[in-house]
Amino acid sequence: MSNLPESRQPVRLSVVVPVFNEADNVLPLLDEIERALAPSGASGPGGFEIIFVDDQSDDDTQARLAPAVRAGRLRVLRHRRRSGQSAAVRSGVKAARGEWVVTLDGDGQNDPADIPALFALVAKGEAGSPILVGGLRKKRQDTLSKRWASRIANAVRQSFLQDGCTDSGCGLKLFRRDAFLDLPFFGAMHRFLPALFRAHGHAVAYVPVNHRPRGRGVSKYTNWRRGLIGVVDLLGVYWLKRRTNLSPVTEDL
């Protein structure tokens, strides 16, 4: 038996959920994550943990989560200043105890029931298994304008990055923690993880996943804001991809 305190013992899978002003969504989402993982392989030796990263919410998000923290159901990190979704993902991954990390959005539109299917692709640890598994939303439950903006953005991305990802905006992704922490960090990097993983020589796979309408709260993004920032980020990732030239290393006897 390990002598480490429970808060430091390793787990098989860490679930990282970035949230900002999602008071009405956090507890229903927590319940769904626990139900989805309880019967899965992640509930075996090592188990799983759930980490919510609060990006300076100014609603009741913290108050809603507090009883669950006291009950030992999850860990909550809170940014001291608003830093964005990518920073929240990175904070959660750095704090995670799992070899594997799965992320999903805090608005409830990603379905936690899809997590076991992603985890099944990597759980056996077979040679050639993907290091990142990304979700592809089958039927987008968003406004027509969002769907069209996404379709155009993904087409432009593919022409530059050619990473095989037709749905970069899906927040449901599973990856190996150490591989993620080796990547360069920048704002909005969470939207370019497949391209970054592939540029670093890692195998990537995609799985169709469910997508649900937002039932509570309001979206934190607009098409124009996301599009303008996305162009700058895309050019940056394109440059990174072209400048990344890593070679496998062997140790001489």
Side-chain angles (χ1 to χ4, degrees):
M1 181 177 295
S2 172
N3 292 323
L4 290 172
E6 185 176 352
S7 62
R8 293 179 55 196
Q9 289 179 8
V11 295
R12 296 192 73 196
L13 179 67
S14 297
V15 182
V16 172
V17 185
V19 294
F20 173 68
N21 286 353
E22 296 289 359
D24 292 334
N25 287 311
V26 287
L27 289 183
L29 183 57
L30 174 61
D31 290 340
E32 285 192 286
I33 294 170
E34 290 177 326
R35 287 197 301 270
L37 292 183
S40 75
S43 64
F48 63 91
E49 66 174 350
I50 304 171
I51 303 172
F52 279 63
V53 184
D54 182 7
D55 192 30
Q56 268 292 309
S57 294
D58 54 19
D59 64 354
D60 289 336
T61 294
Q62 283 280 304
R64 301 284 180 90
L65 290 173
V69 173
R70 290 193 293 270
R73 297 173 62 192
L74 80 158
R75 301 161 61 195
V76 174
L77 310 178
R78 180 172 170 83
H79 283 167
R80 293 184 178 181
R81 64 176 182 273
R82 182 86 192 280
S83 303
Q85 186 170 346
S86 283
V89 168
R90 187 168 185 269
S91 294
V93 175
K94 287 179 68 177
R97 295 178 288 133
E99 177 186 7
W100 293 94
V101 175
V102 63
T103 65
L104 64 161
D105 293 338
D107 57 12
Q109 290 193 260
N110 297 140
D111 190 345
D114 286 315
I115 296 175
L118 274 66
F119 189 63
L121 289 183
V122 304
K124 294 180 181 179
E126 298 174 348
S129 295
I131 300 302
L132 178 142
V133 184
L136 300 178
R137 292 168 289 187
K138 293 180 292 187
K139 294 181 179 179
R140 288 286 300 273
Q141 300 298 316
D142 285 321
T143 63
L144 181 61
S145 63
K146 276 192 175 183
R147 295 199 303 270
W148 273 106
S150 229
R151 186 173 299 179
I152 294 169
N154 280 309
V156 173
R157 280 183 73 265
Q158 279 304 296
S159 68
F160 278 86
L161 303 181
Q162 299 178 1
D163 59 3
C165 181
T166 58
D167 187 10
S168 63
C170 182
L172 188 56
K173 294 181 176 72
L174 182 140
F175 47 80
R176 209 170 68 196
R177 178 179 179 271
D178 60 346
F180 175 92
L181 292 176
D182 273 344
L183 301 177
F185 173 74
F186 56 93
M189 73 171 291
H190 68 283
R191 294 186 170 276
F192 297 94
L193 289 182
L196 293 169
F197 269 75
R198 290 188 63 174
H200 282 72
H202 300 306
V204 173
Y206 303 103
V207 173
V209 296
N210 188 28
H211 190 239
R212 307 182 295 191
R214 177 185 264 278
R216 315 169 189 86
V218 295
S219 175
K220 311 305 185 295
Y221 298 99
T222 64
N223 291 336
W224 279 109
R225 178 176 178 271
R226 179 180 289 173
L228 290 173
I229 296 174
V231 170
V232 177
D233 291 331
L234 175 59
L235 294 175
V237 174
Y238 179 69
W239 180 86
L240 276 174
K241 182 173 178 286
R242 288 177 60 86
R243 299 296 293 176
T244 301
N245 183 19
L246 303 175
S247 174
V249 176
T250 59
E251 184 173 346
D252 292 334
L253 297 177

